[in-house]
Amino acid sequence: MMRKYTYSPALYGILIALAMILSYLESLVPLSFAIPGVKLGLANIVTVFVLYKIGAGSAFLITAVRVILISILFGNIMSFAFSAAGMLLSLAVMIPMKKSGKFSVTGVSVSGGVAHNAGQILAAAVILGTKEIIYYLPVLCISGVLAGICIGLLSAQLIERVKI
Amino acid sequence: MKERKLRKNDILLIGILLVISGLLFFFAYIAKDSGGSVTISIDGLEIMELPLKDDIRIELSSEHGLEEGHRNTLHIKEGKAYITDANCPDKVCENKGSVCYVGETIVCLPHKLVIKVTEGIASDMDGVAG
Ligand SMILES: [Zn+2]
């Protein structure tokens, strides 16, 4: 049985703030593997959480606002392009994966992680005009899977335990 | 909640993605070929091609087309290229280490700098030398 909720702007504010703090925290820990774009993507916990708890539209809204604000505060137009490409492809994969009902949170998050990295690589290949960036794809594919598993397991706990 | 439990489909999906990664690694590996030169591109514009056989050290700065204040030093030593003294925030280009195979790149995203290994001059010379 689903109860009808109306979600307040304050809740969105808190979720966006949380996503931004996670993005910022991650940028403090240089988890660099000598490859651009390899990271855990802690802020995606919020995206996955909202996707399951509220819905696809809200997940898109909160993630888009986070990407825009983080780019304005800490990045530039390039980092915005990479993040936006990663975010769009990631959501474009996760939303139908979740709708299909065939996968758990972890499966959805894993495909989102891989799609996110693929989106960033494609954006980098287009912007820098070098198709050789594609050579990073195997590493980014594996790192996307591993990050997706971590994010999926964490999100699953939150989805079950946190009431909003 | 049914969404929490890892399902057979998830394992299958993860397995398939790992196999695909493995295949990509394999193809990237067999496609490797020691390069003859490196090209330096800044903001998508190729500014220089250097042979890998000659040791050299170049301090890339605004006079090469980098933005004012951006610096990377490119070294070519014993047939390998690498970057030091980069003042970009992420240091990804320095941490990449040395490259020497055709298609390998060193990318400095914050400085829009791409160092790419190409077949270049050496492969022609090998052909002549037979
Ligand atoms: Zn750099």
Side-chain angles (χ1 to χ4, degrees), chain B residues 19-89:
Chain B
V19 168
I20 291 173
S21 307
L23 286 174
L24 287 172
F25 265 117
F26 178 69
F27 286 123
Y29 180 75
I30 56 168
K32 270 186 180 177
D33 207 359
S34 268
S37 56
V38 286
T39 59
I40 305 169
S41 305
I42 293 169
D43 204 2
L45 208 74
E46 190 179 315
I47 59 153
M48 222 186 275
E49 179 164 3
L50 297 165
L52 273 171
K53 62 179 173 52
D54 301 327
D55 290 3
I56 198 173
R57 175 171 176 267
I58 295 184
E59 284 172 35
L60 295 166
S61 63
S62 56
E63 48 182 288
H64 299 93
L66 287 177
E67 266 167 52
E68 204 61 53
H70 287 180
R71 282 190 313 278
N72 303 71
T73 303
L74 172 71
H75 299 255
I76 296 178
K77 205 175 173 188
E78 290 159 3
K80 292 173 193 281
Y82 57 95
I83 285 198
T84 61
D85 301 310
N87 63 351
C88 54

Side-chain angles (χ1 to χ4, degrees), chain B residues 72 83 86-94 107-111:
Chain B
N72 303 71
I83 285 198
N87 63 351
C88 54
D90 62 6
K91 303 280 189 243
V92 164
C93 53
E94 278 186 30
V107 180
C108 184
L109 284 184
H111 291 183

Side-chain angles (χ1 to χ4, degrees), chain A residues 12-102:
Chain A
Y12 284 83
I14 290 167
L15 288 166
I16 290 166
L18 186 62
M20 288 179 67
I21 290 166
L22 290 173
S23 279
Y24 179 66
L25 275 182
E26 191 167 284
S27 73
L28 292 180
V29 187
L31 203 73
S32 157
F33 298 97
I35 309 260
V38 172
K39 56 179 184 176
L40 196 51
L42 283 177
N44 290 325
I45 294 173
V46 178
T47 304
V48 175
F49 179 80
V50 172
L51 179 60
Y52 276 86
K53 282 285 192 184
I54 309 180
S58 303
F60 176 81
L61 179 75
I62 282 169
T63 313
V65 172
R66 183 247 298 172
V67 165
I68 291 166
L69 289 179
I70 285 284
S71 295
I72 290 172
L73 288 173
F74 308 111
N76 51 38
I77 190 74
M78 289 255 289
S79 64
F80 171 72
F82 297 137
S83 307
M87 173 205 101
L88 289 175
L89 203 58
S90 166
L91 279 171
V93 171
M94 286 202 291
I95 291 168
M97 288 278 290
K98 188 210 163 221
K99 270 208 184 115
S100 79
K102 291 192 169 68

